[in-house]
């Protein structure tokens, strides 16, 4: 009879979404407490610095991804393990040195932590556009940061409504047992009100601990009605919906076919590249002609070393970064063909010339930075900028080589950048620089 009753009961297979909702709400609350500042934090988080809250958020974020991925049949592989390591390493750095005001690299580590965490979720869920890290990796990040979270922003409320429907619809022996247990706890409260004061009078230490815990608890309950606390919870709910949308969108939706390549005419792309190649060629002819004169002016004192080193440095960095985007987009939108395809050979030649020109830009910028460091020493900004230029240098070497050989240049360059960034962060820059 009991089995027949159970067969008639509605089955709602969404318990993993209920757990996801609780975990994302906790993560959102920790993140909102971190954003709102120490002044308005409540017990017990009032004594937690922001870096501890962000580290705790990272732990819950990772646990949520592993749990929800497991429930959706996803297992960690080599690729997702790499991004999990990056996320955990960045979270650990924040926990260790996030509160040190001398660590100017801290904002970049926090930014790296968010990017690595989102990309890890996409890698674990198999929800990347091409199933791997390539030229469309930035598009994947855009999807992970914006499209998925806001596209499924209201799903948390749907899971909450489903949870209450499940409580109201499912009436089994287990529910009766739970209500009976709750009634027993309720009946024990009057007796506990008699026993606890007796225990407090019997032991001074017990009395002090209970008094402290009760005072903190009442203070926390009172703070919940404060207007500032209401804003913290509103922010926590918004962050919770954002995180729930990210995980639900990455793991919980049906995946169709991913968009393929959209090829553009080779003549259009060739003309597009030719404009930049000619422009850069003219620039280098002019620049190389003036280098000897500039160095001579520095020796005679007519030109300051700092002025020469700074002049055009950041412009060169921006040009190198823009060329990276040009290289990746042309490589992606060029029509695929065989090795005998003449258009494909034109692409390889043009991109190789662009890569060599960009390497020249980077080396020129590195020369200026080295010239500046030799005269004025190391600081965080000089070290960080040098690291950035070295990453660009290695990236263009790999991408130029990958233009002729089968090489996952984009993925290798990103891995190189992430690993060297973490090495730089863990090297404790203030200990070996002037400031």
């Amino acid at each position: 009879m009991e089995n027949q009753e159970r067969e008639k009961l509605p089955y709602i297979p969404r318990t993993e979404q209920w757990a996801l909702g609780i975990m994302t709400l906790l993560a959102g609350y920790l993140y909102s407490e971190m954003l709102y500042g120490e002044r308005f934090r409540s017990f017990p988080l009032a004594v937690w610095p922001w870096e501890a809250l962000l580290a705790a958020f990272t732990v819950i974020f990772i646990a949520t991804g592993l749990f929800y991925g497991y429930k959706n049949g996803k297992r960690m592989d080599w690729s997702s393990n790499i991004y999990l390591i990056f996320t955990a390493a960045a979270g650990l750095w924040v926990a260790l040195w996030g509160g040190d005001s001398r660590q100017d690299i801290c904002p970049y580590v926090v930014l790296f932590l968010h990017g690595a965490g989102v990309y890890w979720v996409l890698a674990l869920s198999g929800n990347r556009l091409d199933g791997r890290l390539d030229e469309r990796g930035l598009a994947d990040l855009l999807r992970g940061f914006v499209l998925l979270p806001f596209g499924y922003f209201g799903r948390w409320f749907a899971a909450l409504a489903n949870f209450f429907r499940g409580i109201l619809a499912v009436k089994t022996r287990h529910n009766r047992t739970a209500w009976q247990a709750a009634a027993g706890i309720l009946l024990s409260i009057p007796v506990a009100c008699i026993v606890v004061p007796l225990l407090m009078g019997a032991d001074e230490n017990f009395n002090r601990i209970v008094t402290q815990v009760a005072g903190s608890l009442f203070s926390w309950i009172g703070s919940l009605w404060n207007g500032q606390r209401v804003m913290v919870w509103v922010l926590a709910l918004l962050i919770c919906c954002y995180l729930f949308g990210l995980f639900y969108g990455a793991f919980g939706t049906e995946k169709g076919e991913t968009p393929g390549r959209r090829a553009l005419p080779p003549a259009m792309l060739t003309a597009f590249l030719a404009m930049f190649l000619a422009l850069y060629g003219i620039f280098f002819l002019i620049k190389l002609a003036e280098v000897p004169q500039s160095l001579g002016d520095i020796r005679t004192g007519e030109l300051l070393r700092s002025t020469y080193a700074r002049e055009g440095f950041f412009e060169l960095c921006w040009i190198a970064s823009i060329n990276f985007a040009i290289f990746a987009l042309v490589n992606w939108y060029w029509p695929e063909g065989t090795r005998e395809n003449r258009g494909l050979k034109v692409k390889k030649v043009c991109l190789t010339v662009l890569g060599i020109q960009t390497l020249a830009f980077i080396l020129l910028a590195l020369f200026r930075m080295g010239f500046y460091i030799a005269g004025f020493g190391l600081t965080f900004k000089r070290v960080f900028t040098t690291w950035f230029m070295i990453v660009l240098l290695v990236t263009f070497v790999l991408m130029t080589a990958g233009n002729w050989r089968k090489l996952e240049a984009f993925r290798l360059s990103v891995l190189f950048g992430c690993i060297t960034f973490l090495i730089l962060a863990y090297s404790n820059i203030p200990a070996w620089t002037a400031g």
Side-chain angles (χ1 to χ4, degrees):
M1 184 67 179
E2 185 176 348
N3 291 334
Q4 293 178 354
E5 290 180 357
R6 287 192 179 187
E7 290 178 0
K8 297 179 181 179
L9 295 174
Y11 175 64
I12 306 176
R14 294 176 181 173
T15 54
E16 71 277 2
Q17 290 187 21
W18 303 343
L20 176 64
I22 295 173
M23 298 174 79
T24 52
L25 181 60
L26 177 59
Y29 176 67
L30 288 175
Y31 204 91
S32 66
E33 289 278 5
M34 180 194 70
L35 292 178
Y36 223 72
E38 298 179 5
R39 181 181 175 185
F40 303 108
R41 288 179 193 158
S42 59
F43 174 82
L45 301 181
V47 297
W48 286 33
W50 74 267
E51 62 271 17
L53 289 173
L54 185 56
F57 167 83
T58 304
V59 172
I60 296 175
F61 182 89
I62 292 174
T64 304
L66 293 174
F67 163 78
Y68 203 58
Y70 175 79
K71 288 296 184 179
N72 283 275
K74 303 295 183 181
R75 299 294 183 269
M76 296 290 293
D77 56 11
W78 184 88
S79 179
S80 57
N81 277 327
I82 289 293
Y83 307 116
L84 175 59
I85 292 172
F86 289 159
T87 305
L92 178 61
W93 188 96
V94 169
L96 295 175
W97 292 296
D100 189 346
S101 59
R102 300 173 302 164
Q103 296 287 352
D104 294 326
I105 200 174
C106 184
Y108 301 97
V109 176
V110 173
L111 182 63
F112 177 88
L113 170 62
H114 287 70
V118 168
Y119 199 81
W120 168 65
V121 172
L122 296 177
L124 176 61
S125 63
N127 201 346
R128 291 181 287 182
L129 290 175
D130 298 316
R132 65 183 188 278
L133 179 59
D134 59 11
E135 291 87 350
R136 290 210 289 182
L138 295 178
D140 282 324
L141 278 179
L142 177 64
R143 293 173 62 249
F145 273 109
V146 180
L147 300 182
L148 292 178
F150 290 109
Y152 299 95
F153 195 78
R155 288 287 179 174
W156 186 84
F157 294 101
L160 182 65
N162 177 265
F163 174 74
F164 285 114
R165 283 200 302 269
I167 291 178
L168 295 175
V170 181
K171 298 178 180 179
T172 63
R173 178 173 56 85
H174 300 288
N175 293 104
R176 290 195 296 272
T177 302
W179 282 110
Q180 292 167 1
I185 294 174
L186 186 64
L187 290 175
S188 70
I189 293 178
V191 181
C193 290
I194 299 174
V195 173
V196 170
L198 295 175
L199 294 174
M200 293 172 65
D203 186 83
E204 183 178 351
N205 291 328
F206 183 80
N207 180 32
R208 185 177 66 256
I209 292 173
V210 171
T211 302
Q212 291 176 351
V213 171
S216 300
L217 182 61
F218 286 126
S219 175
W220 177 69
I221 293 175
S223 68
L224 290 178
W225 302 102
N226 186 288
Q228 299 290 349
R229 300 304 308 158
V230 172
M231 293 304 299
V232 169
W233 278 105
V234 170
L235 181 59
L237 186 59
L238 293 176
I239 297 173
C240 165
C241 292
Y242 177 91
L243 294 173
F244 192 95
L246 169 63
F247 286 108
Y248 182 87
F251 289 100
T253 57
E254 293 295 329
K255 312 298 188 304
E257 294 184 1
T258 57
R261 290 177 178 263
R262 291 185 178 181
L264 295 176
M268 178 190 300
L269 296 174
T270 302
F272 175 77
L273 278 175
M275 287 290 295
F276 289 99
L277 298 182
L279 185 63
Y280 295 155
I282 296 172
F283 172 84
F284 281 113
L285 289 176
I286 298 173
K287 198 66 181 175
L288 291 175
E290 72 173 21
V291 169
Q293 181 181 353
S294 298
L295 295 178
D297 291 341
I298 292 174
R299 284 193 296 268
T300 59
E302 297 179 17
L303 179 63
L304 294 176
R305 177 192 292 261
S306 58
T307 301
Y308 175 73
R310 285 197 303 265
E311 187 181 73
F313 173 79
F314 292 104
E315 287 79 2
L316 292 173
C317 295
W318 274 109
I319 290 172
S321 302
I322 292 171
N323 286 354
F324 171 77
I326 292 174
F327 198 108
L329 290 175
V330 170
N331 201 37
W332 176 257
Y333 286 107
W334 197 283
E336 293 182 333
T338 62
R339 292 184 179 272
E340 292 75 25
N341 189 330
R342 179 177 299 179
L344 192 60
K345 293 180 180 179
V346 171
K347 181 203 78 166
K348 292 182 177 181
V349 172
C350 290
L351 289 182
T352 299
V353 174
L354 178 65
I356 293 173
Q357 288 180 334
T358 307
L359 290 174
F361 279 121
I362 297 171
L363 291 173
L364 182 58
L366 282 174
F367 168 74
R368 288 176 178 268
M369 179 55 68
F371 199 65
Y372 196 85
I373 291 174
F376 301 97
L378 290 172
T379 63
F380 164 73
K381 289 183 178 179
R382 295 164 198 167
V383 170
F384 191 77
T385 305
T386 303
W387 164 82
F388 176 72
M389 298 308 297
I390 291 175
V391 170
L392 274 179
L393 180 70
V394 173
T395 297
F396 272 95
V397 169
L398 290 172
M399 293 177 74
T400 304
N403 202 30
W404 297 94
R405 293 181 175 274
K406 189 175 181 179
L407 184 69
E408 295 183 359
F410 192 90
R411 183 175 66 87
L412 292 175
S413 64
V414 171
L415 293 179
F416 174 79
C418 292
I419 293 172
T420 53
F421 175 80
L422 290 173
I423 292 174
L424 184 65
Y426 274 91
S427 69
N428 192 13
I429 297 176
W432 51 275
T433 61

